[in-house]
Amino acid sequence: MVKTYSKNQLERYPVYLKVLREMREEGERFSASSSIARRLGYSEEQVKKDLAAVSPTLGTPGRGRDISSIIEDIETFLGYREMTSAVIVGVGRLGSAILDYPGFADMGLDIVAGFDSDPAKIGTNINGREIYDVSRLSEIMPGLKAHICIIAVPSAYAQSVADMAVKAGATGIWNFAPTHLSLKKGVIVENVNLASSLAVLSHRIKTNLKED
Amino acid sequence: MVKTYSKNQLERYPVYLKVLREMREEGERFSASSSIARRLGYSEEQVKKDLAAVSPTLGTPGRGRDISSIIEDIETFLGYREMTSAVIVGVGRLGSAILDYPGFADMGLDIVAGFDSDPAKIGTNINGREIYDVSRLSEIMPGLKAHICIIAVPSAYAQSVADMAVKAGATGIWNFAPTHLSLKKGVIVENVNLASSLAVLSHRIKTNLKED
DNA sequence: TAGATTGTTAATCGATTAACAATC
DNA sequence: TAGATTGTTAATCGATTAACAATC
């Protein structure tokens, strides 16, 4: 009887959070599933189910849910209220964009160090995070107590970086390289695949045009 | 009897492409669904269905499919063999990383111009693409025949940029800002939402740990 | 009280997996 | 020919939507 959450469902929670915070900014105190659904283009039933699945705080029939409570419940569910350490490998343009983005801290993700192979970058500091030689990954990572490795290196190096990271204790890989990684069971890989995202966009546009 | 493709399915095609190109590099000429499935951790049936859905070239029982033919068929299906023009709004760290990435051209996406509000960037050139003042978006975009707008501005500006882009003829929005956009029916929005991606990763790691 | 919205069970819809005849 | 793998139909599984009693 353990609750399970599909990938799609998990992806919706940060979206709810965003909208609920907006509603709170606008001065609302309570929100009905129907109003959230309308804003997001979701069905009302889906919103009800999704929120009930993570919120022990019950809603009030006739009035809706207390916005601050759901925000808190979603934040707790998503792990935003405790910090997890991560390292990033590859601090090129994309990697430094990630390091520079302040939002991850609010999501409970603390990127504590960076690694790169470029001598010009090694020893520097990006946003207070030291950049080390990637060859020292397995030496340094365990001491940082980081179990998430963000991979932002070119495709060709991604698999070997992932292998090193797993040896150094990574249980989760956030892969920004446009390539598939094979890792032993038990290691979670989440891919940010722009080619896939673009495929969806292009196909939808094409299909949409044909309909007219 | 028109074939339809789910979001998940569409997202898989670029992954197949990557693996098939690797197999070709390795000197293979034919591939069985089972071997592709094994590499990717997909089920064999899924691979068979996915490939059959986009490939008019039939496979050979007992031998598999001709790798070069499927590659060609997937590329055609994904629209990689004809160019579509796009503009990008916001050329900060993320925006310039996107402009700098050479891969999109191979996916049929031609980013023809950039827009920003920073006077220091306006009038410059990134990778051969002129950067214009964002206030001139509606004036310049129609002449570029670009119907896709990539949004890489801070959240607060994303909705108004999207509205401008749609007025200027955009039918597709590739949204990298961490916010939900509301647009009129018929405009396709595809979000690259790192918060959602991280939510999936974190939850999977947590669940995984509990299982042990 | 009446209206609105909750939480939840049942029905539907869609996607994935299993099974198998066809065939190179 | 026998083995392998195809393409496709049927079965299963899971997620979304519909329906509705409970209640503030």
Side-chain angles (χ1 to χ4, degrees):
Chain A
M1 230 257 2
V2 175
K3 262 177 209 155
T4 59
Y5 301 87
S6 72
K7 187 176 163 93
N8 288 344
Q9 189 179 0
L10 290 169
E11 288 177 346
R12 288 192 293 266
Y13 288 113
V15 182
Y16 289 127
L17 211 43
K18 180 87 196 177
V19 164
L20 288 161
R21 284 173 177 154
E22 271 171 31
M23 293 172 102
R24 186 166 59 181
E25 294 277 298
E26 291 162 13
E28 314 264 334
R29 284 211 49 206
F30 293 90
S31 82
S33 324
S34 55
S35 69
I36 299 173
R38 207 174 320 113
R39 287 207 192 206
L40 293 174
Y42 296 171
S43 80
E44 187 185 328
E45 295 84 356
Q46 186 162 74
V47 175
K48 279 196 280 186
K49 275 234 162 132
D50 284 348
L51 298 185
V54 297
S55 181
T57 324
L58 293 179
T60 315
R63 191 167 54 173
R65 282 166 169 281
D66 180 76
I67 291 182
S68 295
S69 307
I70 331 178
I71 290 177
E72 202 179 311
D73 292 338
I74 296 178
E75 284 176 352
T76 301
F77 172 74
L78 291 177
Y80 286 7
R81 287 165 172 252
E82 41 191 284
M83 295 308 278
T84 304
S85 295
V87 299
I88 183 165
V89 183
V91 289
R93 222 168 311 253
L94 176 63
S96 25
I98 294 171
L99 268 177
D100 263 320
Y101 181 59
F104 295 130
D106 296 328
M107 302 176 197
L109 189 76
D110 188 12
I111 308 175
V112 295
F115 293 85
D116 205 293
S117 60
D118 179 356
K121 284 171 190 150
I122 297 165
T124 65
N125 208 288
I126 299 183
N127 246 11
R129 269 78 55 106
E130 185 85 24
I131 309 302
Y132 300 99
D133 189 323
V134 67
S135 68
R136 298 180 62 206
L137 184 64
S138 39
E139 167 202 337
I140 295 170
M141 204 176 142
L144 298 170
K145 305 247 179 277
H147 298 290
I148 292 181
C149 178
I150 303 170
I151 296 187
V153 301
S155 278
Y157 306 108
Q159 181 69 54
S160 71
V161 166
D163 291 336
M164 282 195 285
V166 170
K167 268 197 196 129
T171 53
I173 303 283
W174 203 9
N175 178 35
F176 286 76
T179 192
H180 176 83
L181 301 176
S182 298
L183 293 165
K184 69 170 193 234
K185 229 170 107 271
V187 177
I188 311 296
V189 180
E190 171 68 17
N191 298 296
V192 176
N193 190 337
L194 296 190
S196 290
S197 177
L198 181 59
V200 175
L201 177 65
S202 309
H203 184 266
R204 296 266 155 92
I205 292 175
K206 230 179 291 173
T207 313
N208 192 45
L209 290 177
K210 270 192 222 123
E211 269 167 21
D212 297 336
Chain B
M1 230 253 5
V2 175
K3 264 178 207 154
T4 60
Y5 302 88
S6 73
K7 186 175 163 93
N8 288 344
Q9 189 179 0
L10 290 169
E11 288 177 348
R12 288 192 292 268
Y13 288 112
V15 182
Y16 289 128
L17 211 43
K18 180 88 196 177
V19 164
L20 287 162
R21 284 174 176 154
E22 271 171 34
M23 294 173 103
R24 187 166 59 180
E25 294 276 299
E26 290 162 12
E28 315 264 335
R29 283 212 49 207
F30 292 90
S31 80
S33 325
S34 56
S35 68
I36 299 174
R38 208 175 319 113
R39 290 207 191 205
L40 293 174
Y42 296 171
S43 80
E44 188 185 327
E45 294 84 357
Q46 187 162 73
V47 175
K48 278 197 280 187
K49 275 233 161 133
D50 284 349
L51 298 186
V54 297
S55 181
T57 323
L58 293 180
T60 315
R63 192 166 55 172
R65 281 166 169 282
D66 181 76
I67 292 182
S68 294
S69 307
I70 331 177
I71 290 177
E72 202 179 310
D73 292 338
I74 296 179
E75 285 176 351
T76 302
F77 172 74
L78 292 177
Y80 285 9
R81 288 167 171 250
E82 43 191 283
M83 296 308 277
T84 304
S85 297
V87 299
I88 182 165
V89 182
V91 289
R93 222 167 312 253
L94 175 62
S96 25
I98 294 171
L99 268 178
D100 263 320
Y101 181 59
F104 294 130
D106 296 328
M107 302 176 198
L109 190 74
D110 187 13
I111 308 176
V112 294
F115 292 85
D116 206 292
S117 60
D118 179 354
K121 285 172 190 149
I122 296 165
T124 66
N125 210 288
I126 299 184
N127 247 10
R129 270 78 53 106
E130 185 86 22
I131 309 303
Y132 300 99
D133 189 323
V134 66
S135 68
R136 298 180 62 204
L137 184 63
S138 39
E139 167 202 337
I140 295 170
M141 204 177 144
L144 297 170
K145 306 246 179 278
H147 298 291
I148 292 181
C149 179
I150 304 170
I151 295 186
V153 301
S155 278
Y157 307 108
Q159 181 69 55
S160 71
V161 166
D163 291 337
M164 281 196 285
V166 170
K167 268 196 199 131
T171 53
I173 303 283
W174 202 10
N175 179 33
F176 285 76
T179 193
H180 176 82
L181 301 176
S182 299
L183 293 165
K184 68 168 195 236
K185 228 169 108 273
V187 177
I188 311 295
V189 180
E190 171 68 16
N191 298 295
V192 176
N193 191 337
L194 296 190
S196 291
S197 177
L198 181 59
V200 175
L201 178 65
S202 309
H203 184 267
R204 295 264 156 92
I205 292 174
K206 231 178 291 172
T207 313
N208 192 45
L209 290 177
K210 270 191 222 125
E211 271 167 22
D212 298 337

